Amino acid sequence: MTAQSATSATEGFRAARDFLLQHREDYETAYQGFAWPRPERFNWALEWFDVIAEGNDRTALHIVEEDGSETKVSFAAMSARSDRVANWLRARGVRAGDRIIVMLGNQVELWETVLAAMKLRAVVIPATPLLGPADLRDRVDRGRARHVIARAEDTAKFDDVPGDYTRIAVGGAGADWLDYADAAGESAGFEPDGVTLADDTLMLYFTSGTTARPKLVEHTHTSYPVGHLSTMYWIGLRPGDVHLNISSPGWAKHAWSNLFAPWNAEATVFIHNYTRFDPARLMDEMDRHGVTSFCAPPTVWRMLVQADLGRLATPPREVVAAGEPLNPEVIESVRRAWGVTVRDGFG
């Protein structure tokens, strides 16, 4: 890995981050004294993540599967792995400004890919694996996607999605699909081929389309990486925390609380994958792996309070809800059982 040097943008970001950490329990001081970093140039993957990752063997990402198998990736290893993916994607024709549909689950390759795309100044269009061919045609067309990275089990969905786009499969490649695993053979030294302007596009999210046709929402190299210092502060994340946010890839909340907020704080992203929600198993995993902060939608909180909350021996220090409003009685049940108050954020 090529060690990334801290820049003035890095130091400005660090100063803002550290100010929020210092005044986590003093909202008035934080509110009055905080100033948003406004760099002209900033690449969060290169100028923040790679800087904090250098020589850092603490766990950046910890995934526990339903069968009990685990994957842990350190900050240093994640930096090197994303370098390799960036070099490999560049050799496959990915250029600055190219749009990449990323349709992956909660798997290591998702985090590698987002960091790699950021380093290349490519634009990520996150997509949930639940999408079908009709939705994907719309995303490829309106998103003007030039590349697609998808799980091998989802590649057939693109059989009827026309377009001259690079097809990359994770988990084994079939006909006309490149094998993502080949990226592991690339060099871990990445050199950017240009500067990243703060207002360059980083992500394009399609809205849920609940009431109308899904819309495209643009986020830049500062709106999410810098903007979610606020999420770090609201959740209460600190360096060394183990943060569990229950969210599906493809939705914006996943980027907020499974990428930017925890790694802004230098915390571990903890994931428990399951096919059917089991509150007892979830609490067992939270205890076993020392989860210190927990965010979940109201549907999960309501299922949790139907179980024995006392099963969790060491409750998280910080608990939050996001999505629609959470019932006050659920908040009170958690307060009685765990001694902490669920902070309810919605909108």
Side-chain angles (χ1 to χ4, degrees), residues 256-293:
W256 306 346
S257 296
N258 277 349
L259 175 65
F260 294 116
W263 285 351
N264 279 349
E266 298 178 68
T268 297
V269 176
F270 179 77
I271 300 291
H272 171 47
N273 282 326
Y274 52 81
T275 52
R276 187 166 182 262
F277 182 72
D278 179 346
R281 171 72 187 278
L282 179 67
M283 286 187 280
D284 286 347
E285 297 296 349
M286 291 170 68
D287 253 338
R288 184 175 297 114
H289 301 291
V291 169
T292 56
S293 56

Side-chain angles (χ1 to χ4, degrees), residues 92-93 98-99 140-141 144-148 158 161-167 176:
R92 309 279 90 71
D98 283 3
R99 298 177 176 189
V140 168
D141 180 29
R144 302 199 303 278
R146 298 197 60 182
H147 317 275
V148 168
F158 290 88
V161 179
D164 182 20
Y165 51 89
T166 312
R167 293 164 168 82
D176 301 323

Side-chain angles (χ1 to χ4, degrees), residues 43-46 113-122 124 196 202-203 221 225 259-260:
N43 187 301
W44 185 84
L46 294 168
T113 296
V114 174
L115 286 172
M118 208 177 303
K119 292 177 179 185
L120 291 168
R121 295 178 292 136
V124 175
T196 306
L202 168 61
M203 288 180 164
H221 278 265
L259 175 65
F260 294 116

Side-chain angles (χ1 to χ4, degrees), residues 222-245:
T222 51
S223 66
Y224 263 12
V226 176
H228 285 294
L229 286 170
S230 62
T231 303
M232 179 200 77
Y233 184 82
W234 179 67
I235 294 174
L237 291 169
R238 304 172 185 172
D241 272 351
V242 177
H243 178 58
L244 169 58
N245 169 60

Side-chain angles (χ1 to χ4, degrees), residues 172-225:
D176 301 323
W177 286 79
L178 301 173
D179 191 346
Y180 180 98
D182 292 342
E186 287 286 342
S187 164
F190 176 81
E191 292 293 341
D193 56 11
V195 299
T196 306
L197 300 179
D199 58 0
D200 282 349
T201 304
L202 168 61
M203 288 180 164
L204 286 171
Y205 272 97
F206 278 82
T207 60
S208 61
T210 306
T211 58
R213 192 182 187 198
K215 300 176 181 65
L216 268 172
V217 180
E218 178 188 25
H219 289 283
T220 70
H221 278 265
T222 51
S223 66
Y224 263 12

Side-chain angles (χ1 to χ4, degrees), residues 90-158:
R90 183 155 59 187
R92 309 279 90 71
V94 178
R95 298 290 181 262
D98 283 3
R99 298 177 176 189
I100 310 171
I101 290 179
V102 178
M103 194 167 82
L104 300 173
N106 272 321
Q107 55 198 104
V108 176
E109 294 87 354
L110 173 64
W111 282 265
E112 293 173 353
T113 296
V114 174
L115 286 172
M118 208 177 303
K119 292 177 179 185
L120 291 168
R121 295 178 292 136
V123 178
V124 175
I125 301 177
T128 170
L130 298 175
L131 294 175
D135 292 313
L136 293 172
R137 281 195 296 274
D138 181 53
R139 277 154 172 73
V140 168
D141 180 29
R142 282 200 291 145
R144 302 199 303 278
R146 298 197 60 182
H147 317 275
V148 168
I149 301 176
R151 303 183 304 182
E153 59 263 41
D154 293 318
T155 56
K157 295 179 180 179
F158 290 88

